Amino acid sequence: MEIKTIMVIGAGQMGSGIAQVAAQSGFTTILHDVNKEAVQRGLQGIQKSLAKFVEKGKLSAEEMEATLGRLQPCDDMAAAADCQIAIEAVVENMNVKANIFRELDRLAPADAILASNTSSLPITEIAAVTSRPEQVIGMHFMNPVPLMKLVEIIRGLATSDETYETIEALSRHLGKTPATCRDVPGFISNRVLQVMINEAVWCLYEGVATAEDIDMIMKLGMNHPMGPLALADLIGLDTVLAILEVLQAGYGDPKYRPCPLLRQYVKAGWLGRKSGRGFYRYG
Ligand code: NAD
């Protein structure tokens, strides 16, 4: 299959990052969101990120202009008719994702591949709402997408070898290293990561140490580039909570029980960097 156009659904931090990398790699890239402002914010974020690459000499001004020229903002799902690959990156909620995959299945060409950037939700279940489960796959990028090298590829029960091979090759074309995982709750990345983040929140909740000291211990002690609480703020605390709930429901194991402090922060609207406040304050 020749891939010319990629559609990204959801223009939040992940969707805009994926769209940036796709456009930088030469693909016509349609960036869609239900919220028009989110698309504009996404495009502004892309512009800022590309300008930083230019500043650092990693991208020429012409390449930046060409990349921006390949990006098509959009608020109509019907644009899916023009894509060979659709990558969904909306909120971590099964009902919302299922509705989008029903729409994509109806609107995208019959041979198009439908990928989800979900952090934890079952690809098999997402695929089952479509008439083409063999062409549905998990393509889990890491945050921030333009900088992080990994794509975790998740094969649903019905994902065909052909779909897998296309997405593996596409990941490399996007400059990423693919790693493959079976369709289990949280896959590998979040099954391991979120337990650590949740434990750090429990430490804060129990007053064992300050947020700064918890993060310092993991940074300087374990050589992690960011502490778990700062990383949770980057991911978004609503997303962290949603993933832990998927892990808890999927494995039925109390070790995934989200810390009450995390729930409280999400209820307060303290979602991390994207809302200006989480475990730390921003802006
Ligand atoms: P975000 O809150 O930054 O963005 C979500 C976007 O989805 C918003 O712009 C919202 O308007 C849009 N949206 C909601 N419903 C929609 C619909 N029906 N149609 C189109 N757009 C819709 O969230 P994010 O951090 O970008 O996360 C998006 C997905 O990526 C989630 O599934 C998340 O689990 C996954 N993910 C997140 C991270 C991370 O570090 N944040 C990392 C990897 C994967």
Side-chain angles (χ1 to χ4, degrees), residues 115-168:
S116 174
N117 181 54
T118 177
S119 301
S120 61
L121 293 164
I123 299 301
T124 305
E125 196 176 331
I126 294 174
V129 306
T130 73
S131 62
R132 58 177 100 185
E134 64 291 343
Q135 287 158 241
V136 176
I137 192 161
M139 195 176 186
H140 182 208
F141 291 83
M142 302 294 129
N143 185 11
V145 183
L147 300 181
M148 299 292 281
K149 286 281 164 230
L150 181 76
V151 171
E152 191 178 37
I153 300 179
I154 303 99
R155 293 187 69 147
L157 207 55
T159 308
S160 70
D161 289 344
E162 201 185 336
T163 297
Y164 172 74
E165 281 152 21
T166 304
I167 292 301
E168 201 205 23

Side-chain angles (χ1 to χ4, degrees), residues 145-270:
V145 183
L147 300 181
M148 299 292 281
K149 286 281 164 230
L150 181 76
V151 171
E152 191 178 37
I153 300 179
I154 303 99
R155 293 187 69 147
L157 207 55
T159 308
S160 70
D161 289 344
E162 201 185 336
T163 297
Y164 172 74
E165 281 152 21
T166 304
I167 292 301
E168 201 205 23
L170 174 64
S171 303
R172 291 190 199 281
H173 190 115
L174 297 176
K176 307 297 179 197
T177 303
T180 308
C181 176
R182 268 182 29 224
D183 187 18
V184 297
F187 319 129
I188 299 290
S189 52
N190 279 306
R191 181 169 171 181
V192 176
L193 172 67
Q194 297 301 340
V195 173
M196 180 186 69
I197 289 179
N198 196 34
E199 203 59 36
V201 185
W202 277 104
C203 288
L204 185 68
Y205 182 60
E206 290 168 6
V208 178
T210 62
E212 288 79 3
D213 279 352
I214 292 167
D215 277 354
M216 186 77 76
I217 287 163
M218 298 307 287
K219 269 169 65 181
L220 301 188
M222 316 302 154
N223 227 1
H224 289 191
M226 287 177 96
L229 299 173
L231 179 55
D233 276 356
L234 174 70
I235 294 169
L237 301 191
D238 52 341
T239 302
V240 169
L241 178 59
I243 298 169
L244 281 163
E245 283 173 338
V246 169
L247 288 167
Q248 191 185 19
Y251 293 107
D253 189 324
K255 76 179 169 189
Y256 300 109
R257 180 168 67 106
C259 177
L261 187 65
L262 178 65
R263 287 191 189 284
Q264 199 178 25
Y265 273 43
V266 172
K267 285 214 174 96
W270 296 358

Side-chain angles (χ1 to χ4, degrees), residues 5-11 29-40 72-83 86 90 99-100 103-104 106-109:
T5 302
I6 295 179
M7 179 169 181
V8 179
I9 302 99
T29 307
I30 304 166
L31 182 57
H32 171 279
D33 201 290
V34 274
N35 178 349
K36 275 188 191 173
E37 284 166 23
V39 177
Q40 285 318 313
Q72 299 179 359
C74 146
D75 59 4
D76 185 355
M77 282 287 276
D82 297 328
C83 75
V90 305
N99 283 334
I100 286 170
E103 279 286 280
L104 286 173
R106 193 170 63 78
L107 296 165

